[in-house]
Amino acid sequence: MTNPASVLVVGASVGGLAVAESLRRDGYAGALTLLGAERHPPYDRPPLSKKVLAGEWEPDRTRLRADAALAKLEMTTILGDPAVHLDVLGRAVTTASGRRLTAEAIVLATGLEPRRLPGQAPWPGVHVLRTLDDAVALRAELLAASQVVVVGDGVLGTEAAATARAMGLAVTLVGPQATLLASQLGPQIGGHLAALHTRLGVQLRLGAAVEALVGDDERVRGVRLAGGEVLPADVVVVAIGSRPATDWLFDSGLRLGDGVVCDSRCRAAEGIYAVGDVARWHHEVLGTALRLENRSNAVEQGAAVAANILGKDRPYTPVPFFWTDQYDVKIQVHGFAGADAQVAVVDGSPEAGQFAALYGSAGKVTGVLGWNMVKQTRALRQHVVEGTDWSLVKSLRAS
Amino acid sequence: MRVIVDLEKCCGAGQCVLLAPKVFDQRDDGIVILLDEHPPEAVREAACVCPGAAIKLEDLA
Ligand SMILES: Cc1cc2nc3c(=O)[nH]c(=O)nc-3n(C[C@H](O)[C@H](O)[C@H](O)COP(=O)(O)OP(=O)(O)OC[C@H]3O[C@@H](n4cnc5c(N)ncnc54)[C@H](O)[C@@H]3O)c2cc1C
Ligand code: SF4
């Protein structure tokens, strides 16, 4: 297979940039175009809910690459012009401003869009947190607020709550699950996280359904729960998850099903690939379709997509990794945790605020979680790679 | 090639150590330790996957 003469990447964030950089690193010398909806050059999202929201970083620090490094990629970068249509057979993308861009290979890297509450119109005081502009706007309002309600008990909601609390605000977190991050980390570890938030003064309203936002002409004033109780708020952060940004692909003929559906090579159609949060691909080792929403996946998948564009025909089979920082706790997960998995603490102890735990299902180790235990967690990752027999986990405790 | 790490940006993921254990290590709190400022092996991949965008490479002429 010969290399394509031109590659167009739609979505100018970490996944799209990873494809561009990997292509050049692998020796691709053809034309390269990066198209992005936002006006910012590629920046990093994880700091948005942490350092940027807390005011520890100026927004500009989130930039992924300096101008000089971007220039070295010798690509055409078009920012602030979202793609609105994809012609799969013609390999062409039309943009909002009317550009028509063609390329022999097209990479879809459009990430996610935050879900909103039913009827959530733009309303002063109500925020989602996905972009740099979102983070800057939310920070400005937090500085003037005293009471915040965070709707959402996942990673983003808990991080936003932690940051707002550390800024000294009164914070209430509302979520439908029995505990924080229950579906991601299971009830046991989720319970430790809930205890941490409670200890540091966040009011948790778990197992609660939000019925509506309440307020007046001027701004939002609170959140009404099913049952009628109103939680007062100057600022409401809606962090109830996201959905793949695929609306613009509805008439493309591509298969969409909670993301752009791809084969094991991250290919959605001949010459069309997807990467990052928007991509649902077939993980050959696990034998299942998967879509991951984390930073490392976007980068690693970017490298895999670049290799496949260049004819390597390589399946993408990562060991997932994600982390979250809340207060002074750093949680890291390699592999799969999950709500129904078995959990065994193998190093340290939750009481001491430092531990590593293995997750297992179907008799094998599937994941490792570290709670302020970085090095040990990295070492334990090998059990995830090897799928160590769960019966051996007890003997790991001492070692 | 010269490697520069930004300790403030490092989020302690350790992806760099997994990829290039001769060049990177981590402190107990996870922050990266640069073992070799002028590594013979290419560490471009580590620089790219670093979730903190904390690793910078300078090509020496
Ligand atoms: C606040 C926050 C905190 C996070 N914290 C962590 C963390 O601690 N650890 C972790 O592992 N992960 C974290 N993540 C997740 C991580 O940031 C994402 O997994 C990663 O950004 C995915 O990269 P991506 O390139 O696939 O998508 P995105 O980063 O979402 O980029 C997609 C880009 O495509 C653009 N786009 C969308 N539609 C179009 C269109 N039609 N045309 C052109 N461009 C378009 C968007 O504007 C956007 O710039 C966090 C995310 C957020 C929002
Ligand atoms: S990969 Fe980057 S963020 Fe992670 S430990 Fe290494 S330098 Fe730090």
Side-chain angles (χ1 to χ4, degrees):
Chain A
M1 199 182 120
T2 54
N3 287 349
S6 51
V7 179
L8 166 64
V9 180
V10 185
S13 180
V14 61
L17 180 65
V19 173
E21 288 188 332
S22 303
L23 280 169
R24 291 300 190 218
R25 199 170 62 233
D26 294 349
Y28 172 70
L32 188 54
T33 304
L34 184 67
L35 173 71
E38 294 179 75
R39 62 193 165 83
H40 303 289
Y43 62 88
D44 207 17
R45 281 172 221 281
L48 299 183
S49 50
K50 310 173 183 80
K51 301 250 164 57
V52 174
L53 195 57
E56 290 168 38
W57 280 19
E58 289 303 316
D60 206 43
R61 271 208 84 170
T62 59
R63 273 196 68 164
L64 283 167
R65 300 288 178 264
D67 285 334
L70 290 177
K72 269 199 202 146
L73 292 172
E74 298 190 353
M75 61 184 178
T76 307
T77 303
I78 303 168
L79 298 174
D81 193 10
V84 292
H85 179 75
L86 171 69
D87 173 358
V88 170
L89 290 180
R91 305 266 169 87
V93 165
T94 315
T95 71
S97 78
R99 284 189 173 95
R100 189 182 145 87
L101 305 166
T102 57
E104 285 182 21
I106 297 179
V107 182
L108 310 174
T110 49
L112 304 177
E113 256 156 48
R115 277 184 215 281
R116 286 156 210 267
L117 288 167
Q120 179 186 332
W123 203 357
V126 184
H127 294 261
V128 293
L129 181 48
R130 180 76 197 169
T131 67
L132 186 57
D133 295 348
D134 291 341
V136 169
L138 176 56
R139 171 156 175 83
E141 282 224 320
L142 287 183
L143 286 175
S146 55
Q147 257 182 333
V148 182
V149 171
V150 176
V151 183
D153 49 21
V155 178
L156 188 58
T158 52
E159 284 190 4
T163 304
R165 183 66 199 126
M167 288 171 73
L169 300 171
V171 179
T172 304
L173 186 152
V174 192
Q177 304 190 92
T179 190
L180 299 179
L181 263 62
S183 63
Q184 290 95 338
L185 305 180
Q188 185 179 339
I189 308 292
H192 293 311
L193 190 65
L196 175 73
H197 277 266
T198 304
R199 183 155 51 75
L200 293 172
V202 173
Q203 299 286 329
L204 297 182
R205 300 298 300 261
L206 296 169
V210 168
E211 202 175 67
L213 299 167
V214 294
D216 47 36
D217 290 349
E218 219 174 294
R219 61 184 295 118
V220 76
R221 302 288 176 195
V223 168
R224 188 169 68 237
L225 301 181
E229 185 188 354
V230 172
L231 307 171
D234 319 309
V235 170
V236 176
V237 181
V238 178
I240 54 175
S242 303
R243 51 189 198 85
T246 53
D247 285 355
W248 68 285
L249 297 169
F250 80 99
D251 61 350
S252 65
L254 288 182
R255 242 181 92 205
L256 304 174
D258 185 32
V260 177
V261 178
C262 299
D263 65 10
S264 60
R265 272 65 179 165
C266 312
R267 191 171 40 207
E270 186 65 35
I272 312 275
Y273 299 78
V275 66
D277 286 6
V278 79
R280 171 171 294 278
W281 89 104
H282 184 79
H283 193 304
E284 269 188 4
V285 173
L286 300 167
T288 177
L290 211 58
R291 189 175 64 75
L292 299 174
E293 296 180 3
N294 65 60
R295 173 73 165 71
S296 316
N297 175 63
V299 175
E300 286 176 38
Q301 195 167 23
V305 164
N308 286 328
I309 289 175
L310 300 178
K312 293 281 188 319
D313 195 29
R314 202 206 294 159
Y316 178 54
T317 56
V319 174
F321 169 77
F322 90 93
W323 82 99
T324 171
D325 298 336
Q326 316 207 355
Y327 312 105
D328 57 352
V329 174
K330 178 181 289 299
I331 297 173
Q332 302 177 306
V333 181
H334 295 276
F336 295 88
D340 308 321
Q342 288 172 285
V343 181
V345 172
V346 293
D347 203 342
S349 77
E351 294 69 39
Q354 249 196 340
F355 65 95
L358 291 174
Y359 285 77
S361 70
K364 300 225 175 296
V365 172
T366 58
V368 55
L369 174 142
W371 179 294
N372 278 345
M373 250 211 184
V374 170
K375 292 177 90 163
Q376 294 87 334
T377 305
R378 200 184 66 232
L380 287 164
R381 175 185 184 271
Q382 198 51 30
H383 294 294
V384 181
V385 175
E386 286 163 8
T388 301
D389 209 272
W390 188 255
S391 62
L392 299 173
V393 162
K394 250 192 255 131
S395 62
L396 295 171
R397 170 79 242 198
S399 62
Chain B
M1 175 164 53
R2 174 163 175 241
V3 182
I4 304 162
V5 292
D6 181 341
L7 300 189
E8 255 198 80
K9 278 195 161 184
C10 173
C11 67
Q15 304 296 89
C16 54
V17 190
L18 287 171
L19 282 167
K22 289 197 183 120
V23 182
F24 303 101
D25 196 1
Q26 283 175 289
R27 310 194 310 223
D28 283 338
D29 63 359
I31 301 301
V32 65
I33 302 171
L34 186 57
L35 301 174
D36 185 351
E37 201 181 325
H38 298 283
E41 57 181 305
V43 295
R44 267 184 215 291
E45 204 183 340
C48 283
V49 302
C50 169
I55 304 175
K56 255 198 272 176
L57 304 179
E58 266 178 13
D59 289 312
L60 300 178

